[in-house]
Amino acid sequence: MEPNEGNADDTTQLQLKFVTKQEQFAVPDTVYAVPATLHSWGLNNLINDVLKSTKADHEQVKFDFLINGELLRARLNTHFKNHELPTEAIHTVEYLEARPAPEPQDCLLHDDWVAAIHHQKNWILTGCYDNTLHIWNKKGEHKLTIPGHSGAVKAVSWITVNNDSALFASGGADQTVMLWEWNIRKNSVECVHVCRGHERSIECLAINLDATKIVSSGWDNLIKIWNAEMQSSVEGEPEKKKFKSSDKNHIRTPVMTLKGHKEAVSAIRWIAEDEIVTSSWDHTLKFWDVTLGGVKSELAGNKAFFDLDYSHLNKLIITASADRHIRLYDPRSTEGLLVKSTFTHHTQWVPCVRWSTTNEYLFVSGSYDQQVKLWDTRSPKTSLYDMTGHTDKVLSCDWSDPELILSGGADNTLRLFKFTG
């Protein structure tokens, strides 16, 4: 319990009922009178005391508390005042076991800024400002340094990962998307296709759900779709000719080009097989019909968008912007207010955001303030946890593996945080 602050609410008692979906932590269905000055840890002590009185073997558990769908992150009286809740009524409070903080696991050194990350299965792919790609395993062991680009690598993505081989894509300041094959058993990599057509630096790319198409974009404002399919050349299957930059058979041109953005495109995500969403420095989010080759709809913001991510769990979009704010959008909304929540806790630009792939409420963000933050959409005013360690701007993040949060920065490091929530 916190000390009193000496205000008019010091003696106020609130009538609360506690419910939980975790039956092993259920308390009797009764109304508890609690001081309005209690914070979440005061409620935590109350629930644990009740559980100890009813279950002799109960061990202390840390809980979070939801009031009207929002996590309690202030004193009860402050929360009630901010949400204009009546203090005379009986309120139902849901509690759930709190998630532990992500734990720092490793710091993987690069020779330059780490601008792009993607993790799939046991492998981590990074793109670097020194024009190289790197492959690491989850234990932090470096497998390969891959030259090939003639400019900073700004975007990377695994296409498919099997036991013996993997396909991946990279895009960069040299205006090309390169498709690579990695023979895992031999630990050898080969560039099998170069996609040419962009006129300026490529900033983002994404692979569709069945790994047959790549979409890319960047500073030329153009969105280009490429064929991602490649013949495998692992042992037991036909070998391809060794790639040569002059071999036109290995040069790919775009299947489709989409025009509509007025400034650089910062991020792309596939929503469905025939739909993508893009964010841009022109302050807009655009939804594209890939089959028809045009814009379906558009959301206008008031700042440049630096990144976006789409969740297939909750169908919502989060965006990162130049004004330090992270915004939550529901593209299905028929209401006038399209921004559902705004998350403001960073102190500088936010260049990257990523949803959890297993929890519809959680996402992470990285910022120029050197912080990586873990958020719950039910707590918009403050993050759940701050992950420290970077000594310069955070440029990229990834949460493809539910148990591993990754971030890359201008301090030339890739940082790994273990998450068990």
Side-chain angles (χ1 to χ4, degrees):
M1 186 181 301
E2 289 185 292
N4 290 339
E5 293 181 324
N7 58 35
D9 291 328
D10 284 354
T11 59
T12 303
Q13 297 279 309
L14 299 175
Q15 308 297 309
L16 305 180
K17 289 181 66 174
F18 295 94
V19 298
T20 182
K21 295 173 183 174
Q22 297 171 288
E23 294 184 7
Q24 70 272 31
F25 300 132
V27 298
D29 183 18
T30 186
V31 177
Y32 297 83
V34 304
T37 52
L38 279 189
H39 206 301
S40 58
W41 51 78
L43 297 181
N44 193 76
N45 290 336
L46 170 62
I47 296 298
N48 275 286
D49 288 345
V50 173
L51 289 171
K52 288 176 184 176
S53 69
T54 58
K55 300 176 182 179
D57 60 346
H58 174 73
E59 297 182 0
Q60 190 82 5
V61 176
K62 183 180 179 183
F63 294 107
D64 276 328
F65 298 86
L66 284 163
I67 302 177
N68 282 10
E70 186 171 314
L71 287 170
L72 180 65
R73 287 293 181 263
R75 296 174 185 271
L76 284 168
N77 50 17
T78 301
H79 186 95
F80 271 56
K81 181 179 180 180
N82 290 343
H83 294 80
E84 299 181 348
L85 300 176
T87 57
E88 306 81 13
I90 296 174
H91 293 271
T92 298
V93 177
E94 181 182 348
Y95 60 100
L96 61 156
E97 189 173 7
R99 298 176 180 86
E103 300 176 4
Q105 288 294 105
D106 216 335
C107 176
L108 309 182
L109 297 178
H110 293 64
D111 291 331
D112 211 331
W113 293 8
V114 182
I117 314 166
H118 190 214
H119 183 193
Q120 191 163 321
K121 295 187 177 178
N122 294 319
W123 309 110
I124 300 167
L125 181 64
T126 57
C128 202
Y129 261 67
D130 65 359
N131 310 349
T132 63
L133 296 105
H134 297 264
I135 297 176
W136 313 76
N137 64 20
K138 290 175 65 173
K139 298 178 181 178
E141 297 168 341
H142 188 257
K143 303 298 289 184
L144 274 176
T145 298
I146 307 166
H149 280 281
S150 58
V153 180
K154 299 293 195 70
V156 297
S157 181
W158 293 105
I159 300 174
T160 58
V161 178
N162 302 312
N163 292 331
D164 297 325
S165 67
L167 305 175
F168 58 93
S170 59
D174 60 4
Q175 307 174 17
T176 64
V177 173
M178 302 182 78
L179 308 187
W180 306 81
E181 181 174 26
W182 177 34
N183 187 316
I184 297 175
R185 287 179 292 173
K186 294 181 178 179
N187 196 28
S188 62
V189 70
E190 180 184 358
C191 178
V192 291
H193 293 289
V194 175
C195 303
R196 299 190 184 278
H198 280 290
E199 299 169 6
R200 296 184 67 187
S201 174
I202 295 167
E203 298 294 308
C204 52
L205 59 81
I207 313 299
N208 69 340
L209 301 179
D210 64 3
T212 59
K213 297 185 183 70
I214 302 170
V215 62
S216 62
S217 193
W219 283 96
D220 62 3
N221 313 347
L222 302 174
I223 298 157
K224 292 184 181 290
I225 297 174
W226 318 82
N227 177 16
E229 294 176 296
M230 297 183 280
Q231 281 188 326
S232 177
S233 64
V234 297
E235 282 184 29
E237 297 186 25
E239 289 282 338
K240 299 183 300 298
K241 294 186 301 179
K242 185 173 179 59
F243 170 76
K244 296 179 182 178
S245 59
S246 60
D247 188 342
K248 293 183 180 180
N249 291 330
H250 290 274
I251 303 299
R252 284 193 172 170
T253 55
V255 175
M256 180 182 295
T257 298
L258 303 174
K259 301 179 181 181
H261 280 296
K262 298 177 181 178
E263 293 188 46
V265 178
S266 55
I268 300 175
R269 290 291 179 270
W270 290 89
I271 291 180
E273 277 305 313
D274 60 351
E275 185 177 4
I276 58 174
V277 59
T278 55
S279 62
S280 171
W281 283 61
D282 66 10
H283 303 187
T284 67
L285 303 178
K286 293 185 187 292
F287 298 83
W288 305 80
D289 187 315
V290 174
T291 304
L292 297 178
V295 176
K296 291 177 63 175
S297 60
E298 177 181 306
L299 297 178
N302 57 5
K303 293 289 181 180
F305 289 109
F306 290 164
D307 198 15
L308 72 82
D309 201 20
Y310 174 79
S311 171
H312 290 279
L313 297 177
N314 58 31
K315 313 301 182 186
L316 301 176
I317 290 170
I318 45 173
T319 63
S321 293
D323 59 4
R324 303 179 292 112
H325 302 310
I326 300 164
R327 292 178 174 83
L328 178 72
Y329 292 87
D330 184 352
R332 303 161 300 177
S333 175
T334 57
E335 303 170 14
L337 185 63
L338 292 169
V339 178
K340 296 302 177 184
S341 294
T342 302
F343 305 85
T344 307
H345 206 218
H346 283 295
T347 58
Q348 295 187 42
W349 286 7
V350 182
C352 56
V353 286
R354 289 294 180 273
W355 281 108
S356 164
T357 56
T358 55
N359 188 307
E360 64 178 308
Y361 298 111
L362 301 183
F363 67 90
V364 294
S365 61
S367 170
Y368 280 21
D369 63 13
Q370 305 177 16
Q371 299 285 316
V372 179
K373 295 179 181 289
L374 173 61
W375 299 86
D376 189 307
T377 56
R378 298 166 297 183
S379 177
K381 292 184 171 57
T382 182
S383 57
L384 293 185
Y385 296 108
D386 294 349
M387 289 164 273
T388 59
H390 282 287
T391 57
D392 206 333
K393 302 184 291 285
V394 179
L395 304 174
S396 53
C397 59
D398 184 71
W399 201 0
S400 302
D401 183 328
E403 297 181 355
L404 206 59
I405 296 170
L406 308 175
S407 59
D411 57 2
N412 303 355
T413 68
L414 169 69
R415 292 187 178 269
L416 285 63
F417 299 88
K418 184 178 181 181
F419 182 68
T420 56

